[in-house]
Amino acid sequence: MKKLPISDEGEQGLLGSMLLDPNKIGGVSYIKAEYFYHPKHQLLYKSIVEMYVNNMTIDTLLVRQYLIEKDRLEQVGGEEYLMHLMDSTIIASHSQHYAKKVEEAYKLRKEIAILELALNSSYQWESSSDEVISKLSIPKLENEKPLEQLGEEFLDNCINNTVGSFSW
């Protein structure tokens, strides 16, 4: 059995970057918790994003406190693991690189799952080729932008008084 594509380096690096520099969160907000392979990373990412969305101040101590209040600290690996994530991340400016690795590994795992379903259907004499092709060929939205960029564009539109205006 082959190993699934997992980017431990990407997952840890992204979380470490977010802990080191909360300003990086907006730029990687397109990442979803489900993109992470490890459940503890999914939960930690979800927790940090919850804090970000709720305009809470974010640093390692406050994330730790938030996790304690939500009874999640042990589920994410404990206090030592939070420190390990920060220590193993050299600089936070690589957050985009780490996010791409996490997303790429997720997409590959998803493709494998779709293809395994197709194989199983085929072995059971069930045709699934149309379904498989449609699932694999869903185009990525070309206008996907990070939350931070969308926010900046919205503020620019507000400043320029073009919110809700149409150029007819």
Side-chain angles (χ1 to χ4, degrees):
M1 181 78 176
K2 295 181 180 181
K3 292 172 77 174
L4 286 174
I6 302 165
S7 178
D8 288 327
E9 170 197 311
E11 290 189 16
Q12 292 177 1
L14 180 56
L15 293 168
S17 294
M18 294 167 72
L19 290 169
L20 284 173
D21 185 358
N23 294 322
K24 300 296 179 192
I25 298 170
V28 296
S29 62
Y30 65 93
I31 296 292
K32 297 177 183 168
E34 69 190 48
Y35 289 12
F36 291 86
Y37 178 79
H38 300 287
K40 67 182 179 182
H41 292 165
Q42 292 175 355
L43 187 57
L44 179 55
Y45 180 80
K46 179 182 174 198
S47 299
I48 293 171
V49 170
E50 284 172 2
M51 292 178 72
Y52 181 77
V53 168
N54 290 312
N55 258 348
M56 298 171 74
T57 304
I58 298 173
D59 67 25
T60 308
L61 294 176
L62 294 173
V63 170
R64 178 187 159 277
Q65 186 59 40
Y66 183 81
L67 292 168
I68 289 171
E69 290 170 7
K70 298 288 184 180
D71 198 27
R72 298 177 181 169
L73 183 61
E74 293 309 313
Q75 294 174 41
V76 301
E79 192 171 337
E80 297 80 25
Y81 192 67
L82 290 178
M83 295 301 143
H84 166 74
L85 288 173
M86 288 185 58
D87 290 343
S88 64
T89 305
I90 299 170
I91 53 174
S93 62
H94 294 156
S95 60
Q96 290 290 329
H97 169 75
Y98 295 132
K100 285 179 185 169
K101 285 183 147 304
V102 169
E103 182 181 26
E104 183 179 306
Y106 167 75
K107 286 179 178 179
L108 290 171
R109 289 192 307 272
K110 194 166 176 95
E111 285 177 18
I112 289 168
I114 291 168
L115 293 169
E116 282 179 343
L117 257 168
L119 279 172
N120 290 335
S121 294
S122 296
Y123 281 123
Q124 295 174 11
W125 290 79
E126 297 171 3
S127 177
S128 62
S129 58
D130 291 339
E131 182 181 340
V132 171
I133 291 169
S134 69
K135 284 183 179 180
L136 287 174
S137 64
I138 294 174
K140 180 181 175 187
L141 296 176
E142 290 184 24
N143 62 348
E144 283 184 351
K145 298 178 185 174
L147 184 60
E148 183 176 58
Q149 183 179 350
L150 289 172
E152 288 174 1
E153 288 176 7
F154 177 76
L155 289 175
D156 288 342
N157 288 338
C158 289
I159 291 168
N160 297 327
N161 221 8
T162 58
V163 173
S165 299
F166 296 100
S167 55
W168 303 77

